[in-house]
Amino acid sequence: MPHKRKPAGKRQHYSRDLKQRVIYQAQVLGNSSTAIAISLDMPIRVVQRIIKLHRDTGDVATECTRHGRYPLMPAAAVEFMLALLQHSPDLYLDEIQEQLLTLHQVDISLTTIW
């Protein structure tokens, strides 16, 4: 019997080695998706996705190019803002916002600066 479904939101990540075993069982041993899912204790849909990805790209996993959220401000703007505050710690948020826009062409909300 294939793997039981996990509750939504708890996504299982499988290693590259395990995904390569899926391809080995499918291509070399000629096992069906259901047989692979049972033998490796994986959901059948995951097995099908791995096989399709391998057929389309020749690889068992896509490489993630970015981890986490995109930064709200460029690093140079952050460094500038910190240097500006060290020089003049009594600046108002709107003055900092104006300096960032004027000198770095970065339009940042007051909440982000705060």
Side-chain angles (χ1 to χ4, degrees):
M1 172 177 262
H3 189 69
K4 291 182 181 177
R5 294 189 102 177
K6 294 201 184 309
K10 299 209 177 203
R11 195 168 180 175
Q12 177 76 28
H13 293 278
Y14 297 98
S15 68
R16 180 175 285 274
D17 178 58
L18 188 59
K19 292 177 182 180
Q20 288 171 341
R21 290 178 194 199
V22 169
I23 300 304
Y24 175 80
Q25 286 193 15
Q27 292 183 344
V28 176
L29 301 179
N31 291 345
S32 67
S33 297
T34 305
I36 296 169
I38 292 169
S39 69
L40 296 178
D41 193 29
M42 297 172 75
I44 191 166
R45 185 67 186 121
V46 172
V47 172
Q48 292 168 344
R49 283 187 188 138
I50 293 168
I51 292 171
K52 181 179 183 325
L53 181 65
H54 186 267
R55 191 178 340 115
D56 294 345
T57 65
D59 199 6
V60 293
T62 56
E63 293 299 322
C64 184
T65 56
R66 174 133 182 94
H67 298 288
R69 296 187 329 183
Y70 285 97
L72 297 174
M73 288 191 340
V78 172
E79 291 177 22
F80 170 76
M81 184 177 71
L82 292 175
L84 188 64
L85 287 170
Q86 281 182 341
H87 182 264
S88 304
D90 58 343
L91 287 174
Y92 289 103
L93 295 177
D94 60 338
E95 294 172 332
I96 298 169
Q97 182 185 38
E98 184 181 324
Q99 289 290 325
L100 285 169
L101 184 60
T102 305
L103 298 174
H104 288 275
Q105 292 73 40
V106 176
D107 190 17
I108 300 292
S109 70
L110 294 176
T111 307
T112 302
I113 296 171
W114 181 77

